[in-house]
Amino acid sequence: MNAHIPALTGGGQVMAIVPQTFEETFRMARTVVASGLAPAALIGKLTGDDAASAVAVAIMSGAELGLKPMVSLRSFTVINGKPALYGDGLINVVRMSGKVAYLRTGCEERGGKLVGFCEAKRLDTGEEKRVEFSQDDAIRARLWDERPTVRKQVWENKEKVWKDGLPNDAPWYRFPQRMLAWRAAGYCLRELFGDVLGGIRDEFEVREIAEAEEMRDITPPAAAENKPTPPKPPKPPAPPSAKTIEAEPEKPAEASEFNLGDFLDEIETALAGAKDEADVEEIWNDFDAPAVLETEGHDDMIEAAFAIKTRRLAQISSLNAG
């Protein structure tokens, strides 16, 4: 019975399946989605052809950079419709181009602070470059994060609620050395190998740009429209009495318009006068920033308010230590 079973042979060359047309690309994308191998960071909550479209975009974006389909899926993500490379994917694309004489990344300590660096040299032109991205650079860019716990939104009973004291899983807190090195590599490689990368950025930089674009317009819709409200008709006069004649009518208090920038400046100014952690907590509770910002429709700025408090606590700790 075994005479009809073909014998297994070895020594064949392993080759990747590379689609040549859009139909072949989409067919491969559907297969990846159906198999469950599509990265969750790439497709998110998409299903069916929507998920296959995201996979196909990643495959086609990688093909333009010389990446094979499955390598593209491991290297690419899509943020707000823009393809972006993971940090190691960016380095991988440049190395595969054959135009690199050397490429080194790392992180070193200098003056008690971390400094990420990337240095590379082109093989074809001989150009070389070294770019550094320091801890101070990350602090100025509001990327540095030293909080062990944060306030985040979580799902409870099918609703999103804010919770304090949750573990900080941000990459800048968990992997600061790697993030500094990758940020330096992103700047260095895009400048030195712009023809290879074709304008592709790394994942974290694209995500930060997307968040900044979403937070740019903070004008309330009603104020943006500038539609004048018609005056209300006057109330009929009340019958005169002794009290109304003697006392002047009280003027209705005008509601002051909430100013986000002034509110955050007031918090920072008040906290600057705090001498210890107890003063910081008392001032913070008086402002009740999370509740105020949520009421005024500025939920996205709660983290910024917490950052002001965290900076002041860090300053007080350093002063006490000295």
Side-chain angles (χ1 to χ4, degrees):
M1 293 177 60
N2 294 332
H4 301 287
I5 299 177
L8 296 176
T9 58
Q13 185 178 1
V14 178
M15 299 182 65
I17 299 176
V18 181
Q20 301 298 314
T21 64
F22 179 79
E23 287 73 18
E24 292 177 359
T25 303
F26 206 74
R27 180 182 174 188
M28 174 176 282
R30 283 176 171 170
T31 303
V32 171
V33 172
S35 67
L37 293 177
L42 180 63
I43 63 174
K45 295 182 180 179
L46 300 177
T47 58
D49 281 352
D50 292 337
S53 298
V55 172
V57 168
I59 292 175
M60 290 186 291
S61 299
E64 293 179 354
L65 301 178
L67 297 178
K68 298 178 178 63
M70 301 308 293
V71 176
S72 297
L73 295 183
R74 293 191 294 269
S75 304
F76 266 96
T77 185
V78 176
I79 301 171
N80 280 7
K82 300 176 182 178
L85 282 167
Y86 294 115
D88 51 355
L90 201 73
I91 296 172
N92 185 29
V93 169
V94 172
R95 288 189 184 278
M96 290 177 58
S97 67
K99 297 181 179 181
V100 182
Y102 65 80
L103 195 163
R104 292 185 285 267
T105 63
C107 189
E108 55 193 20
E109 189 171 347
R110 194 182 302 164
K113 293 188 177 181
L114 298 176
V115 178
F117 67 88
C118 175
E119 49 190 17
K121 180 179 180 179
R122 289 190 68 120
L123 191 63
D124 51 355
T125 63
E127 297 175 82
E128 52 187 335
K129 193 172 190 67
R130 177 185 171 96
V131 173
E132 295 181 349
F133 194 83
S134 66
Q135 182 175 332
D136 290 335
D137 294 329
I139 293 173
R140 281 193 295 272
R142 298 181 182 179
L143 300 172
W144 195 253
D145 197 346
E146 296 180 338
R147 300 168 297 165
T149 59
V150 293
R151 187 171 190 262
K152 293 191 298 186
Q153 279 188 318
V154 296
W155 287 97
E156 278 192 2
N157 299 326
K158 299 182 179 179
E159 291 185 357
K160 263 192 171 183
V161 296
W162 285 97
K163 274 200 169 183
D164 293 313
L166 296 178
N168 190 352
D169 57 357
W172 279 99
Y173 172 73
R174 297 170 62 196
F175 315 110
Q177 295 179 340
R178 178 176 294 183
M179 295 302 296
L180 289 171
W182 279 359
R183 181 51 58 90
Y187 291 139
C188 178
L189 299 182
R190 281 206 311 275
E191 292 177 12
L192 194 58
F193 298 95
D195 56 330
V196 176
L197 295 173
I200 293 288
R201 297 176 181 267
D202 67 84
E203 172 214 4
F204 297 105
E205 190 174 356
V206 173
R207 198 177 299 279
E208 289 155 15
I209 293 172
E211 290 174 357
E213 289 177 349
E214 289 176 2
M215 295 169 58
R216 185 172 298 163
D217 186 6
I218 60 172
T219 306
E225 293 176 1
N226 291 326
K227 292 183 178 179
T229 55
K232 295 182 179 180
K235 295 182 178 179
S241 63
K243 291 183 178 180
T244 55
I245 293 173
E246 294 175 1
E248 294 183 0
E250 295 182 359
K251 295 181 180 180
E254 296 181 358
S256 59
E257 184 178 354
F258 179 78
N259 188 298
L260 175 62
D262 291 345
F263 181 69
L264 295 178
D265 288 342
E266 290 173 8
I267 294 176
E268 190 164 9
T269 302
L271 289 176
K275 298 180 180 179
D276 52 29
E277 295 183 2
D279 288 348
V280 171
E281 291 299 333
E282 184 178 353
I283 294 171
W284 178 258
N285 293 333
D286 289 342
F287 275 95
D288 197 9
V292 172
L293 292 172
E294 188 171 358
T295 302
E296 296 295 337
H298 295 290
D299 297 1
D300 52 347
M301 298 303 294
I302 293 176
E303 290 293 338
F306 271 100
I308 296 173
K309 174 186 175 184
T310 304
R311 283 198 299 271
R312 184 52 187 162
L313 288 172
Q315 292 170 355
I316 292 174
S317 298
S318 62
L319 290 174
N320 292 339

